[in-house]
Amino acid sequence: MNRLLAATALTAALVAAPAAARQLTIDDVSALSRVSSPAVSPDGHWLVWQQRETDLTIDGGRFDLWRLDLTKKGAAPEKLAAEGDVNETAPQFSNDGKTVYFQSDKGGDDAVWSVGIAGGAVTRLTQFAGGIGGFKVSPQGDKLLVWADRLPGAPSLEPAMVKKDANAGNGRVYDQMFVRHWASWADGARSQLFVLPLTARSATGNGVAIGGKLVGDAPSKPFGGGEEVSWSADGKTVFFALREAGRIEPLSTNLDIFSAPADGSLAPVNLTDANDGMDNLPTASPDGKSLAWFAMKRPGYEADRQVLMLRDLASGKVSALTGAWDRSVGSIAWAPDSKTIFVTAEDTQENPVWSVSPVTGKVTRLTGEGNVSAVVPTATGVVFAMNSLTAPDDFYALSGKKTTRLTSVNAAKLAGVEMPTVTRFNFKGANNDTVWGYAVKPAGSTGKVPIAFMVHGGPQGSSNNSWSYRWNPAVFAGAGYGLVAVDFHGSTGYGQGFTDAIRNNWGGWPLEDLQKGLDAATTKFAWLDKDNACALGASYGGYMMNWIEGKWPDRFKCIVQHDGVFDARAMAYETEELWFDEWEHGGKAYFEDPAAFEKWNPVNHVTAWKTPQLVITSEGDYRIPYTQGIAAFTALQRRDIPSRLVVFPGGSHWVTKPKESRQWYGEVLGWMGKYTGAK
């Protein structure tokens, strides 16, 4: 069986489609339950996780805690903490396995709470004001590490008293760059680490800061979490990743690994100062002997190979465990006996679990098809979350070579939905390299179907075998399109050289791959209507839509461009993470080497534009600011090209709210249907 089809077959076996099967829609996807943050009790008895349910009244989701008895075959999931209008998240077990600690926003600010694994009343443990971002309990269960936004240098969690001048204006004032990041303006606060004493009934006081004089965010923003902090086995030290702030912060990818005593008695020590590339995911071994993390070699490059590193905590000796393995480590977890490290790493459109020997560095693949999104080692194996192109996340157990499915969380919601068929293909692309792609065929389709040619973002990313709540290939197939995706040069999961090939080459080899890939797909799959295609993409994929407008103007009946770069010059001065844009175009600022940016600048080819285009952007997108979308729309309108502009208020680089997601798909499918005739 094709590896990409295995997850589909598994879903079909568990959710048998009735006679009146129907296609998947965005209404289905936006209503699905979403599982994440799994935790397993030390004795392997219980699995606990957070589960999100869509709530259209708040245009978002609400989170509850669920549990599953792993000792009973066929046991059904049960709610553990699920108070209405309250979010319960981030479960962690006590060292005796009897208590589950979690984060809750009951009463307003987030705090740490606890509940017995058998259920019962919940108890609030922290009482300080100002809320938290997250927490981790020490291995001994006697201390609580929390991270929270506070002003730099704050000695404790007690919020600073800031006197406001009633006559002052509300203008923001800055003296250095990084004035905004992702979807937020800088307000002076930093995510900082604090430690509190913990008992079964409370975590009292405002804690003590352990970051010393460091100024930066730990965990990093906007997406860092508990994976970036780690307790030592004896509970006396905290390891954390941090990029020191300053005038070069928007130019630097140099996160380092620091160690700090949990009592705040000494200043943190930089363990990776010798490496100017990124160091992250510090993960201490349970036996207290080692610290694992990943390291990137090249400064300023956010998509360099992530090599698994190991430090002997007694001697300080450091080794690159996966230095000879041409794959990039995405997550790290130790086995309870410290004899194995489990990692995830992309490999040719899959994201499996691998084991790594901390002694020899030997790497062994443990899972096949699918995208593994979370890994929790246990005494008997591994519990992991996995999804695919045709199935959202569920939990599985791996023991030896045997994999057992533990949950079917969305079985009822997907009952009657017939998923599409996914087939992988490859061809000779630019530089005569092998390039991979896949085609998604609508379920039950006969004859030819119009094409949705989807280009992924990143650009260092992959159209891999994973479920998406934003750009979901199965939804396009459900709307009657044969979706084609190609992992062009620059994509991940094929070795670092392939990923690096897009630098200084944004509109070169990737466009050649896309052209050859679409031709290969339409030659191989007779059910694709070669002459009835629309192209669509976001971020770098949106850039490619604007590039296609000028460089491949006669191929598509319509284009959908979301948050794409239109003018490379403006982008170089407007974006927030300058390291990304400058690295991609050779490593210099625009004013130092304008030719490197102008070579692949879509604005220079507007006179060739002719394809009808839908432009989508968000006012709160600071990665590729919404002005880029407005500029593209202006170019289209001034050339009298059929065009439409959708602007989401607030938001970010992504569309994540359920109502906005449904509107997004309505606009996109409506635009494509107008030009392809699909209904």
Side-chain angles (χ1 to χ4, degrees), residues 24-260:
L24 184 73
T25 70
I26 186 55
D27 288 351
D28 295 316
V29 172
S30 61
L32 292 177
S33 303
R34 308 187 193 185
V35 300
S36 58
S37 300
V40 177
S41 59
D43 61 3
H45 190 143
W46 294 99
L47 168 65
V48 176
W49 65 90
Q50 69 180 41
Q51 185 164 314
R52 178 191 184 275
E53 305 295 345
T54 298
D55 185 344
L56 291 177
T57 64
I58 62 170
D59 198 15
R62 297 194 184 278
F63 294 84
D64 299 318
L65 298 187
W66 288 70
R67 67 182 179 188
L68 180 69
D69 189 339
L70 297 178
T71 67
K72 296 181 180 179
K73 186 176 181 180
E78 305 169 310
K79 287 185 177 181
L80 176 62
E83 189 170 345
D85 297 334
V86 172
N87 290 305
E88 298 101 348
T89 60
Q92 299 173 40
F93 275 96
S94 60
N95 54 5
D96 64 6
K98 296 180 180 180
T99 301
V100 176
Y101 301 101
F102 63 96
Q103 193 167 325
S104 172
D105 61 1
K106 183 177 182 178
D109 288 339
D110 277 82
V112 180
W113 295 63
S114 68
V115 65
I117 186 58
V122 299
T123 302
R124 179 168 178 162
L125 301 177
T126 59
Q127 303 297 332
F128 53 81
I132 64 172
F135 74 97
K136 271 194 174 181
V137 179
S138 67
Q140 292 71 30
D142 61 346
K143 290 185 284 292
L144 189 67
L145 172 70
V146 301
W147 48 96
D149 283 358
R150 299 292 187 269
L151 293 177
S156 72
L157 283 154
E158 185 175 7
M161 298 297 293
V162 180
K163 187 176 181 180
K164 294 184 178 180
D165 183 351
N167 296 316
N170 59 3
R172 303 183 184 98
V173 179
Y174 301 97
D175 295 307
Q176 63 185 40
M177 294 185 298
F178 234 26
V179 300
R180 57 185 187 177
H181 193 195
W182 190 251
S184 300
W185 285 88
D187 62 2
R190 294 283 181 172
S191 181
Q192 298 175 71
L193 300 172
F194 305 88
V195 175
L196 296 80
L198 175 65
T199 68
R201 296 184 178 181
S202 67
T204 58
N206 288 306
V208 59
I210 65 170
K213 295 182 179 180
L214 291 174
V215 179
D217 291 298
S220 63
K221 291 184 176 180
F223 303 119
E227 72 283 356
E228 296 187 1
V229 297
S230 180
W231 281 100
S232 63
D234 61 10
K236 296 180 180 180
T237 304
V238 175
F239 302 101
F240 61 93
L242 179 140
R243 175 179 52 228
E244 295 190 65
R247 298 191 67 85
I248 67 166
E249 189 175 9
L251 294 167
S252 172
T253 60
N254 187 21
L255 276 77
D256 280 310
I257 307 299
F258 293 83
S259 67

Side-chain angles (χ1 to χ4, degrees), residues 441-584:
K441 183 179 182 180
S445 64
T446 58
K448 291 184 179 294
V449 297
I451 299 170
F453 189 52
M454 188 174 75
V455 181
H456 71 68
Q460 293 86 1
S462 173
S463 293
N464 60 12
N465 184 19
S466 62
W467 185 262
S468 174
Y469 286 95
R470 291 180 289 113
W471 289 70
N472 191 305
V475 173
F476 287 96
Y481 292 92
L483 185 134
V484 177
V486 170
D487 268 0
F488 49 83
H489 279 81
S491 299
T492 52
Y494 306 92
Q496 194 60 43
F498 192 87
T499 301
D500 293 346
I502 197 171
R503 190 187 192 197
N504 288 318
N505 199 11
W506 266 36
W509 287 2
L511 178 61
E512 184 179 343
D513 289 339
L514 293 171
Q515 292 172 327
K516 291 180 176 179
L518 183 55
D519 184 63
T522 55
T523 299
K524 181 177 179 63
F525 305 109
W527 46 270
L528 290 172
D529 188 347
K530 180 178 181 179
D531 298 320
N532 193 14
C534 285
L536 59 160
S539 195
Y540 172 82
Y543 158 85
M544 183 52 71
M545 297 303 104
N546 290 330
W547 189 246
I548 284 172
E549 279 277 11
K551 289 294 186 176
W552 200 11
D554 298 307
R555 181 61 183 88
F556 299 102
K557 290 192 171 182
C558 69
I559 283 175
V560 177
Q561 183 258 112
H562 182 165
D563 291 345
V565 176
F566 169 74
D567 183 354
R569 179 182 182 182
M571 171 69 175
Y573 290 106
E574 291 178 346
T575 192
E576 17 83 289
E577 291 181 353
L578 297 178
W579 68 73
F580 163 72
D581 203 42
E582 293 185 8
W583 174 274
E584 292 298 300

